[in-house]
Amino acid sequence: MILGMDVGNTNIKFGLFDKDNLLHSWRMHSDVLKTADDYGINVTSFFNRVGLDLHRVDGIIISSVVPAINYTLEHMCKLYFDIVPLFVGPGIKTGLNIRYDDTKDLGADRIVNSVSAYSRFGGPLIVIDVGTALTFNVISRKGEFLGGAICPGLRIAMNSLAANTAKLPNVELINPDSVIGRNTQGCIQSGFFYGYVGIMDYMIEKLRSELLEKDVKIVATGGLVNLIADECKEKMEIDPILTLTGLKIIYDKNV
């Protein structure tokens, strides 16, 4: 079995694969203060709950956008699995031609999502991740990663608004009944929900126009994707396990 870890700024998502089948997935909060044993105990607890032995894991692959956690997770893998994990980064085989000015600056999650989407759909593609950051990735018909765009994620933006204003509160993110808010909470909910719907639709339109390709497929993932995508005029394929699947694909290309 292969264990994949997608280390994000908010959560670490784990996926356990038997061949190409995702058997189990779970997540825990990303915390640079946690020790290797903290993470190891969490993983051990999950394996015990589903009745699996840690030693059934043959390989581990990690994509991380939190460098401060990488050594801790590598140490955990050695201690609890006796495995040196494979990290997604420069020099790793992906199957894509990365046309980016500096690949060291390219987030591993963006690579993994693009590999996963291209493997499933081919190109041309726009791959969107509605997570801590809102990212757009563009892949050509020939499998070239051309770049994309990055925006603040919804929760970061909402938290920032509340933290940097005297009277505006943190509110629940919902699809409001009306664009016209009748109170402060409703105004914030409308502004963020419909504002981000507008960002996604407009960015897709602009990216498609620069890509100069026909039949561009839109693929989206991330914790809030279903809420936002339902209102977008642009139709997109939603894949909640896009990143985990991409980790398995990249692992297979490098062993």
Side-chain angles (χ1 to χ4, degrees), residues 18-29:
D18 183 11
K19 297 182 180 178
D20 291 331
N21 299 315
L22 180 63
L23 294 182
H24 301 286
S25 63
W26 73 102
R27 65 179 61 204
M28 68 180 296
H29 183 60

Side-chain angles (χ1 to χ4, degrees), residues 43-104:
V43 172
T44 301
S45 175
F46 183 85
F47 271 71
N48 289 339
R49 184 169 68 83
V50 297
L52 290 173
D53 188 337
L54 292 177
H55 294 99
R56 290 190 61 187
V57 174
D58 304 305
I60 300 172
I61 182 168
I62 300 172
S63 70
S64 173
V65 297
V66 189
I69 294 180
N70 292 356
Y71 174 77
T72 301
L73 290 177
E74 182 176 3
H75 190 46
M76 182 272 288
C77 293
K78 294 175 181 176
L79 281 176
Y80 286 81
F81 295 93
D82 196 26
I83 291 173
V84 177
L86 176 67
F87 280 88
V88 178
I92 200 168
K93 298 175 184 176
T94 64
L96 296 179
N97 179 11
I98 308 296
R99 294 177 55 189
Y100 207 69
D101 288 345
D102 190 345
T103 56
K104 295 191 297 295

Side-chain angles (χ1 to χ4, degrees), residues 30-198:
S30 303
D31 187 348
V32 297
L33 299 180
K34 280 188 168 70
T35 66
D37 287 323
D38 288 329
Y39 287 112
I41 289 168
N42 174 275
V43 172
T44 301
S45 175
F46 183 85
F47 271 71
N48 289 339
R49 184 169 68 83
V50 297
L52 290 173
D53 188 337
L54 292 177
H55 294 99
R56 290 190 61 187
V57 174
D58 304 305
I60 300 172
I61 182 168
I62 300 172
S63 70
S64 173
V65 297
V66 189
I69 294 180
N70 292 356
Y71 174 77
T72 301
L73 290 177
E74 182 176 3
H75 190 46
M76 182 272 288
C77 293
K78 294 175 181 176
L79 281 176
Y80 286 81
F81 295 93
D82 196 26
I83 291 173
V84 177
L86 176 67
F87 280 88
V88 178
I92 200 168
K93 298 175 184 176
T94 64
L96 296 179
N97 179 11
I98 308 296
R99 294 177 55 189
Y100 207 69
D101 288 345
D102 190 345
T103 56
K104 295 191 297 295
D105 291 337
L106 178 57
D109 55 337
R110 298 177 66 191
I111 298 172
V112 174
N113 285 340
S114 299
V115 168
S116 184
Y118 186 77
S119 175
R120 182 177 173 189
F121 297 105
L125 285 168
I126 297 172
V127 184
I128 305 170
D129 190 347
V130 189
T132 306
L134 172 60
T135 62
F136 300 83
N137 308 305
V138 180
I139 300 93
S140 74
R141 191 176 303 275
K142 296 185 292 184
E144 302 162 305
F145 181 96
L146 301 177
I150 302 173
C151 309
L154 280 89
R155 295 201 187 280
I156 280 183
M158 293 184 83
N159 291 339
S160 179
L161 181 70
N164 290 283
T165 56
K167 296 184 68 175
L168 297 181
N170 245 323
V171 301
E172 180 185 5
L173 181 62
I174 62 170
N175 181 346
D177 295 331
S178 172
V179 180
I180 302 173
R182 304 297 182 186
N183 51 52
T184 300
Q185 176 175 307
C187 288
I188 295 171
Q189 289 170 329
S190 172
F192 275 94
F193 179 81
Y194 290 108
Y196 271 80
V197 168

